C-alpha cells in the first residue's frame, strides 16, 4: 500500500511539473547515434534496425541506436539506446518492465546487479530473464543521463522532477542489451556483461553527463 501511494504522489507531482514548469530543450554537446561505432572491442555490428513509425509514435525518441553485434565466437548481442533531449508528459522513457510484457514476453526472473563503472563506482542495472514462446532471452537495462546511472523507474521519475525543477534538464536515455539464452544462463550473462563493459566507456559522448 505504501508503494502504491508513493507512485501516485510521483505521478501527480510530475504531471504538475510538466504542466507548469517550462523546461528548455537541452542543448548540451553530444554525438549523434548515427556515428556510434560499428566495432566495439571484439564485437562488430552486423545489422542496424530502424524503428517503425507505429512504434516511433509511441516511443517519441529523439535519437537512438538499435543494432545487432556479433563477436568472433558467433555470440550475438542486440543493443538499443533511446535518447530524449527533453522529456515531457506524454514523451517519457518507456520502461522495459512494461514494454516487453506488452510485446508478448513473460518475465521469468528479475534481479538488480551492481556493476563497476569508472566514473560512478558501483551502479545498479536490471537483469531480466524473459521468455516468448520457446525463445528465452536475457536483458540487461538501465537509465542513464544527467550524471547518473540507475535501475529503478520510480527513481527515474523522481530524478527527472528534481533535475527539471532545479537544473532545467530533462534529457536522458534508456540503455538495453539482450542476447538469446542457450543451456547456460550464466554464460549468456557473462557475454552481456563483457559487452556492457565496453559500452560504458562509449556512452558519455552520446548521452550528456
Amino acid at each position: 500500500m505504501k508503494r502504491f501511494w508513493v507512485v501516485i504522489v510521483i505521478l501527480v507531482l510530475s504531471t504538475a511539473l510538466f504542466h507548469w514548469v517550462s523546461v528548455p530543450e537541452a542543448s548540451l554537446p553530444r554525438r549523434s547515434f548515427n556515428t556510434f561505432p560499428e566495432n566495439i572491442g571484439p564485437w562488430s555490428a552486423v545489422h542496424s534496425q530502424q524503428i517503425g513509425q507505429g512504434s516511433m509514435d509511441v516511443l517519441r525518441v529523439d535519437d537512438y541506436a538499435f543494432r545487432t553485434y556479433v563477436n568472433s565466437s558467433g555470440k550475438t548481442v542486440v543493443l538499443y539506446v533511446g535518447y530524449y533531449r527533453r522529456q515531457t508528459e506524454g514523451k517519457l522513457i518507456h520502461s522495459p518492465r512494461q514494454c516487453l510484457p506488452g510485446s508478448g514476453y513473460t518475465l521469468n526472473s528479475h534481479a538488480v546487479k551492481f556493476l563497476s563503472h569508472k566514473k560512478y563506482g558501483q551502479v545498479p542495472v536490471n537483469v531480466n530473464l524473459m521468455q516468448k514462446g520457446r525463445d528465452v532471452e536475457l536483458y540487461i537495462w538501465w537509465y542513464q543521463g544527467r550524471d547518473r546511472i540507475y535501475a529503478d523507474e520510480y527513481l527515474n521519475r523522481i530524478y527527472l522532477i528534481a533535475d527539471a525543477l532545479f537544473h532545467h534538464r530533462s534529457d536522458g536515455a534508456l540503455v538495453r542489451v539482450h542476447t538469446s539464452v542457450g543451456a547456460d544462463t550464466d554464460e549468456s550473462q557473462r557475454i552481456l556483461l563483457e559487452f556492457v563493459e565496453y559500452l560504458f566507456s562509449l556512452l558519455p559522448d552520446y548521452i550528456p553527463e
Side-chain angles (χ1 to χ4, degrees):
M1 181 63 70
K2 182 178 179 180
R3 184 178 179 86
F4 170 80
W5 285 112
V6 169
V7 173
I8 294 299
V9 170
I10 291 172
L11 291 175
V12 170
L13 287 177
S14 59
T15 300
L17 174 72
F18 289 130
H19 183 73
W20 295 108
V21 178
S22 177
V23 181
E25 184 172 330
S27 58
L28 301 168
R30 59 174 296 272
R31 299 182 68 179
S32 167
F33 278 115
N34 289 333
T35 68
F36 201 72
E38 302 243 341
N39 296 294
I40 300 177
W43 302 84
S44 298
V46 293
H47 177 65
S48 292
Q49 185 171 332
Q50 299 297 311
I51 298 176
Q53 189 57 53
S55 296
M56 185 61 80
D57 289 342
V58 175
L59 292 174
R60 301 180 66 188
V61 67
D62 292 306
D63 191 15
Y64 69 91
F66 199 176
R67 292 182 181 174
T68 301
Y69 287 83
V70 66
N71 66 9
S72 58
S73 300
K75 304 296 184 181
T76 299
V77 169
V78 179
L79 166 69
Y80 169 76
V81 187
Y83 173 74
Y84 294 77
R85 294 188 188 92
R86 179 189 181 199
Q87 295 182 72
T88 61
E89 196 63 36
K91 184 183 177 181
L92 296 165
I93 294 174
H94 287 250
S95 167
R97 199 185 302 272
Q98 282 81 46
C99 292
L100 291 175
S103 300
Y105 284 90
T106 299
L107 177 65
N108 288 350
S109 68
H110 168 76
V112 174
K113 186 178 181 65
F114 284 82
L115 306 182
S116 295
H117 189 280
K118 185 176 181 180
K119 178 177 180 181
Y120 301 122
Q122 295 294 304
V123 296
V125 300
N126 295 287
V127 181
N128 287 5
L129 188 65
M130 311 293 298
Q131 185 165 353
K132 188 175 185 179
R134 295 184 177 180
D135 297 328
V136 180
E137 298 183 349
L138 187 67
Y139 283 79
I140 294 179
W141 59 276
W142 65 89
Y143 300 96
Q144 184 163 340
R146 308 188 307 279
D147 219 24
R148 301 185 190 91
I149 291 176
Y150 45 95
D152 187 89
E153 59 259 43
Y154 300 119
L155 188 60
N156 176 59
R157 187 63 74 98
I158 291 171
Y159 282 144
L160 184 59
I161 294 169
D163 290 341
L165 186 60
F166 296 109
H167 304 293
H168 294 284
R169 286 185 61 182
S170 63
D171 55 299
L174 175 80
V175 185
R176 188 188 75 196
V177 296
H178 74 270
T179 190
S180 295
V181 175
D184 190 345
T185 304
D186 290 340
E187 173 64 10
S188 299
Q189 181 169 290
R190 186 195 66 78
I191 290 167
L192 286 184
L193 293 179
E194 176 190 284
F195 186 84
V196 166
E197 187 173 350
Y198 287 103
L199 197 59
F200 274 159
S201 64
L202 296 172
L203 289 176
D205 288 339
Y206 301 86
I207 305 172
E209 295 183 326

